[in-house]
Amino acid sequence: MNLEGLNNEQLKAVKHNNGPLLILAGAGSGKTKVLTMRVANLINEYNVKPSEILAITFTNKAANEMKERIHNVLGSVADNVRICTFHSFGLFILRREYEYIGYERNFTIIDSEDSLTLIKKILKELDKDANVYNPRAIRSKISGAKNELIDAKKYSLFANTEFEKVVEEVYIKYEEKLRLGNSFDFDDLLIAPIKIFRENKEVLEKYQNTFKYILIDEYQDTNEAQYILTKMIASKYRNICVVGDPDQSIYSFRGSNYRNILNFEKDYKEASIIVLEKNYRSTSNILNAANDIIKNNKNRKEKNLWTENGTGKKITYHRAENEKDEAYYVVKEIKKLDCPLSDIAVLYRTNAQSRNIEEALLRENIPFKVVGSFYFYNRKEIKDLIAYLKVIYNEKDDINLLRIINVPKRKIGLKTIENLTDIASLKGISIYDAIESGKELEFKKLIEELKVEKDNLSLTELVELVLEKSGMKASLLEEKTMESEIRLENLEEFKSITRGFEEKYGVVSLEEFLSEISLVSDVEEYKNNDSVVTLLTVHSAKGLEFKNVFIIGLEEGIFPHKNSFDSTQDMEEERRLCYVAVTRAKNNLWLINAKKRILYGTESSNPESRFIKEIDENYLNIDETVKTSPSKIFNSSNMIDDTITYTLGEKVKHAIYGIGVIVGIDDKILTIAFPYPHEIKKIMKGHKSTTKLN
């Protein structure tokens, strides 16, 4: 096997054979390459069976990238290596061992929105005001408890406040309803396998003997449940290789614990440790600045990134007068760059900061996208269709049944639904089983018909039948609005997903398909192939790289965030977040802030971020350009005609996005719905990129 191109430390990591291995991989140090080659080397040089290797990543994107790379090295042999996310691995176990926790084979998985719906329903049953007891906060508490392996019974030990006591009540009922509905939530995909393993040693041993070699990427982002699950499987053979960087641990808000990687040597005292410090992404100036920032953290493993990419340009630092000037400065600098727009990213600490940048880019007709704002699987019509498929597969899934029992409208009122819910609750049965008469019985018969057909039709044929028989398609056709057209296009796009699935895997069961789409992240996976400027939070930027990066809002109270001031631990996470932001840049980096800013409706004067002060001035080029008024920059392009009037529902044509309908109007901005994949866009009133059609 060709191992050329690997540096000495990478080579050591690849050639390591048995026993625990910790790879501390700095940003841009080629860790994916190392993981890939390590898997290939275990198979080629040490005769490890591909089926004995388990490689776990955090995202579907990372898993697919690793599969592709290993396939390029090994060919079809690679198909027998299990490469997956934590949650898909959990589902893999549950599909085989569901009986051990009293579930039926046709269980379904509810997503975060369905979970929220269920919590709201429970609050209503408990006569608790959702305005007082925030359902999202309750869901977050339950999710946090599950990820710390605290079940509903144990939660009472932590319920000290009135709010936590309500959470406890909701948590108990929530678990009861999930079980009654033969359903799991996303967190259960990790919790349930651990429960099975703890109560059935023979099942645990089966998986220990199956997966003798375990590799885990981004180990610094693991939570308690992920840590325990992999530790249990690795405990017999101890051939566990973890890769990560404690300096890039930025997800404590969702339960990740960077100490898992810091404590790896305590868990595995015989562990080998390899540090990857050579960076293949950035210039020396950028890396030196990143090193300067992160060395101020106490809780970390010592490492110092370096590169052979050359010194590069100094980092530009600009202090603007206010948030508007900050945005205009960014756009002015973007216009100077001679590169594809896809090479440019603007990073910020919080989503609210994007608005001024968006407006400035709109004024100059520079195309952009905001990462994570709209997501195909979260669109109403798609969720409705998936709900139909889930109920066809598992009629006891009350959450999804309630979502579609009156979609499209079939005269089943709230009173009827409440009565059904009460009967089901009283008898301890599913809502489906409680249906005996009326319009709801017609719905039940429809589901029965579709259940019969699910094994006789292809996946795409079943989807088509659901759309026809349910009345969804007819209802949208009848509506004859731009929005309904867009929804129909989205439903057609769903069929292209099922066709693609069938082309890839051949004959596919409904079970397999639902399992696959249940594992799709709640945030659309980023694709950097559009010729647009990318706007995103630093959290969303993790794992990405761009030739040109602008980091805005580098002020005390914004970045670092004001919520981090009272805790050393929180401030260290903010510093790690800044380190991640800086190391996204390959060639050029701008650090920008404002003397004054209006954010969340409040004006403030913030000192420059401590992270700026931590960088040696030798790496900085301070740009003290006098501000240019917005009117001088932007009106010179003569792109705005402020005499045009608009009305809601009016059709317009955009030079890039095609024909859309106006769904919102405010002082200066039109909100326009365009067909998939463009969806909702905000365009300046009177901008010459957009013309009226009626």
Side-chain angles (χ1 to χ4, degrees):
M1 192 173 76
N2 188 359
L3 298 179
E4 287 179 17
L6 295 172
N7 64 46
N8 286 338
E9 296 308 301
Q10 288 176 328
L11 202 58
K12 282 182 199 171
V14 167
K15 286 187 171 182
H16 180 275
N17 183 11
N18 292 322
L21 173 65
L22 169 62
I23 304 173
L24 291 169
S29 62
K31 67 179 176 68
T32 307
K33 186 177 183 179
V34 168
L35 275 173
T36 302
M37 298 307 288
R38 177 167 163 75
V39 169
N41 203 60
L42 284 170
I43 295 166
N44 276 357
E45 299 300 321
Y46 298 112
N47 298 316
V48 175
K49 293 176 184 172
S51 58
E52 293 179 333
I53 299 173
L54 170 66
I56 300 179
T57 68
F58 269 82
T59 66
N60 292 313
K61 182 185 173 200
N64 290 330
E65 186 183 346
M66 195 183 293
K67 282 176 189 172
E68 194 176 323
R69 288 198 184 196
I70 295 174
H71 195 276
N72 290 340
V73 177
L74 296 176
S76 60
V77 172
D79 298 341
N80 294 318
V81 179
R82 180 154 293 278
I83 304 168
C84 55
T85 64
F86 273 104
H87 290 96
S88 64
F89 180 59
L91 183 58
F92 166 77
I93 295 167
L94 285 180
R95 285 286 178 218
R96 287 152 182 79
E97 317 299 345
Y98 56 89
E99 290 175 304
Y100 286 96
I101 45 173
Y103 272 71
E104 295 172 27
R105 179 178 173 78
N106 64 334
F107 65 78
T108 46
I109 299 147
I110 67 167
D111 63 16
S112 55
E113 189 183 314
D114 292 336
S115 170
L116 194 63
T117 302
L118 181 56
I119 287 167
K120 288 175 181 174
K121 183 170 177 284
I122 293 168
L123 284 169
K124 194 174 180 181
E125 287 177 9
L126 294 171
D127 200 25
K128 304 291 184 186
D129 188 344
N131 294 316
V132 177
Y133 304 101
N134 186 306
R136 289 185 186 276
I138 291 173
R139 185 184 66 183
S140 177
K141 284 279 186 187
I142 292 172
S143 179
K146 285 190 173 190
N147 285 317
E148 290 295 317
L149 300 178
I150 301 164
D151 62 23
K153 292 173 186 172
K154 286 183 192 167
Y155 194 82
S156 60
L157 300 171
F158 304 88
N160 300 315
T161 65
E162 185 190 346
F163 177 74
E164 284 166 343
K165 284 183 168 59
V166 171
V167 174
E168 182 191 353
E169 282 186 79
V170 174
Y171 192 1
I172 291 166
K173 278 203 168 283
Y174 178 81
E175 293 294 273
E176 286 172 1
K177 288 184 182 292
L178 282 181
R179 181 169 283 273
L180 186 64
N182 197 34
S183 300
F184 294 107
D185 68 13
F186 216 56
D187 296 315
D188 291 328
L189 297 180
L190 299 173
I191 313 307
I194 292 172
K195 183 177 170 61
I196 292 169
F197 288 164
R198 281 177 170 171
E199 295 174 0
N200 304 276
K201 299 299 181 197
E202 74 284 3
V203 181
L204 172 59
E205 196 166 350
K206 179 172 79 175
Y207 287 92
Q208 289 173 335
N209 292 331
T210 301
F211 301 113
K212 295 176 181 175
Y213 291 82
I214 300 167
L215 298 90
I216 306 170
D217 194 11
E218 304 287 6
Y219 194 68
Q220 78 281 347
D221 292 334
T222 51
N223 61 30
E224 181 70 7
Q226 291 160 339
Y227 164 74
I228 294 292
L229 181 62
T230 47
K231 192 178 177 185
M232 289 174 91
I233 296 173
S235 62
K236 184 172 183 179
Y237 293 97
R238 300 177 75 80
N239 295 322
I240 181 170
C241 165
V242 303
V243 184
D245 182 4
D247 290 337
Q248 294 186 73
S249 177
I250 58 174
Y251 296 122
S252 65
F253 64 90
R254 64 186 193 201
S256 69
N257 185 356
Y258 71 96
R259 295 187 185 279
N260 288 343
I261 195 166
L262 296 180
N263 292 335
F264 187 83
E265 294 161 86
K266 293 178 185 173
D267 291 334
Y268 304 93
K269 291 186 170 52
E270 73 276 32
S272 302
I273 300 160
I274 295 169
V275 185
L276 304 182
E277 295 177 301
K278 185 178 180 181
N279 176 285
Y280 293 88
R281 177 185 298 153
S282 309
T283 63
S284 287
N285 274 326
I286 291 168
L287 293 182
N288 289 338
N291 289 330
D292 278 356
I293 294 166
I294 201 64
K295 71 183 182 186
N296 291 279
N297 274 3
K298 302 290 186 285
N299 293 302
R300 63 187 293 261
K301 293 275 189 183
E302 189 66 36
K303 68 176 182 328
N304 215 47
L305 294 180
W306 61 278
T307 187
E308 293 176 348
N309 290 344
T311 306
K313 290 182 181 176
K314 286 189 176 184
I315 297 162
T316 302
Y317 172 46
H318 179 71
R319 188 155 172 77
E321 289 296 317
N322 54 47
E323 75 280 2
K324 295 286 185 194
D325 289 327
E326 177 185 63
Y328 299 140
Y329 176 80
V330 170
V331 174
K332 179 167 70 72
E333 292 296 297
I334 286 173
K335 290 176 75 175
K336 288 181 188 174
L337 291 170
D338 183 21
C339 70
L341 293 177
S342 55
D343 287 343
I344 304 168
V346 183
L347 273 52
Y348 34 82
R349 177 63 180 82
T350 61
N351 278 301
Q353 292 169 257
S354 76
R355 186 176 64 84
N356 286 298
I357 302 288
E358 288 180 52
E359 287 184 10
L361 290 165
L362 282 166
R363 281 184 178 271
E364 281 298 280
N365 201 27
I366 298 172
F368 66 91
K369 64 179 172 187
V370 184
V371 172
S373 53
F374 296 99
Y375 180 46
F376 183 76
Y377 287 96
N378 280 342
R379 292 163 196 155
K380 181 186 180 303
E381 63 278 9
I382 300 300
K383 285 191 71 72
D384 289 345
L385 175 55
I386 291 171
Y388 267 103
L389 296 175
K390 284 184 174 180
V391 172
I392 292 164
Y393 179 64
N394 172 20
E395 69 278 6
K396 292 180 180 177
D397 185 342
D398 285 354
I399 299 163
N400 281 296
L401 184 140
L402 289 174
R403 181 181 183 95
I404 56 167
I405 195 168
N406 201 36
V407 175
K409 301 285 186 202
R410 43 176 73 94
K411 297 181 179 175
I412 300 174
L414 284 175
K415 190 69 182 167
T416 303
I417 292 169
E418 282 175 10
N419 287 340
L420 280 173
T421 305
D422 289 345
I423 292 166
S425 184
L426 196 65
K427 292 185 176 179
I429 58 177
S430 68
I431 290 172
Y432 189 85
D433 289 337
I435 295 173
E436 290 180 348
S437 62
K439 291 284 183 184
E440 58 272 31
L441 187 59
E442 291 176 23
F443 169 76
K444 186 174 183 176
K445 285 175 180 173
L446 164 69
I447 299 299
E448 289 294 335
E449 284 176 39
L450 293 167
K451 282 177 79 71
V452 169
E453 293 293 344
K454 77 174 170 70
D455 296 324
N456 303 326
L457 300 172
S458 73
L459 201 54
T460 305
E461 287 168 339
L462 178 63
V463 168
E464 184 62 61
L465 190 68
V466 169
L467 292 175
E468 294 289 343
K469 289 273 189 183
S470 68
M472 282 180 72
K473 194 171 182 178
S475 170
L476 288 169
L477 284 168
E478 196 178 310
E479 201 175 306
K480 291 180 181 172
T481 64
M482 189 67 183
E483 292 96 325
S484 66
E485 284 177 31
I486 291 168
R487 288 184 177 177
L488 279 166
E489 285 172 0
N490 288 337
L491 291 171
E492 287 299 316
E493 178 62 18
F494 189 87
K495 283 193 285 183
S496 73
I497 292 169
T498 59
R499 284 192 199 97
F501 205 80
E502 287 165 331
E503 285 170 13
K504 187 175 180 180
Y505 300 109
V507 178
V508 179
S509 69
L510 184 55
E511 175 189 316
E512 290 169 318
F513 181 67
L514 289 174
S515 292
E516 184 74 16
I517 62 172
S518 72
L519 295 167
V520 180
S521 167
D522 278 347
V523 177
E524 191 165 13
E525 298 228 318
Y526 172 78
K527 297 180 184 69
N528 190 22
N529 53 9
D530 296 336
S531 188
V532 296
V533 175
T534 303
L535 312 184
L536 67 176
T537 64
V538 183
H539 282 104
S540 299
K542 174 89 182 298
L544 305 177
E545 59 181 39
F546 301 87
K547 286 182 179 176
N548 305 287
V549 171
F550 297 82
I551 307 173
I552 64 170
L554 279 158
E555 301 144 39
E556 291 289 293
I558 294 177
F559 198 1
H561 197 278
K562 62 184 179 184
N563 292 348
S564 66
F565 287 177
D566 298 328
S567 159
T568 302
Q569 190 170 316
D570 290 346
M571 183 56 73
E572 291 210 346
E573 175 134 342
E574 287 294 300
R575 189 170 281 109
R576 292 195 293 270
L577 200 55
C578 189
Y579 174 82
V580 167
V582 168
T583 54
R584 297 313 92 196
K586 295 172 74 172
N587 299 348
N588 300 301
L589 177 63
W590 289 258
L591 306 177
I592 309 162
N593 55 27
K595 295 173 185 174
K596 292 182 180 177
R597 164 182 319 271
I598 297 174
L599 190 62
Y600 309 115
T602 305
E603 183 171 290
S604 59
S605 299
N606 302 316
E608 68 179 359
S609 170
R610 67 190 70 193
F611 305 144
I612 299 275
K613 294 176 180 177
E614 289 169 358
I615 300 171
D616 188 317
E617 285 190 4
N618 289 320
Y619 309 132
L620 297 176
N621 170 39
I622 299 171
D623 185 352
E624 295 183 297
T625 309
V626 179
K627 77 162 187 172
T628 307
S629 74
S631 59
K632 283 182 183 174
I633 295 176
F634 295 102
N635 289 349
S636 62
S637 61
N638 201 27
M639 293 297 287
I640 306 295
D641 182 351
D642 55 14
T643 64
I644 303 173
T645 56
Y646 300 90
T647 56
L648 283 173
E650 205 171 15
K651 285 186 179 179
V652 293
K653 185 174 182 180
H654 189 272
I656 298 171
Y657 308 130
I659 295 173
V661 64
I662 298 170
V663 295
I665 303 173
D666 66 21
D667 186 33
K668 293 180 181 176
I669 304 290
L670 299 174
T671 303
I672 306 172
F674 292 100
Y676 179 81
H678 305 297
E679 298 301 311
I680 305 293
K681 299 289 182 187
K682 293 183 184 296
I683 310 282
M684 295 291 295
K685 275 185 181 177
H687 200 283
K688 291 195 175 175
S689 64
T690 309
T691 52
K692 293 175 51 161
L693 291 182
N694 54 344

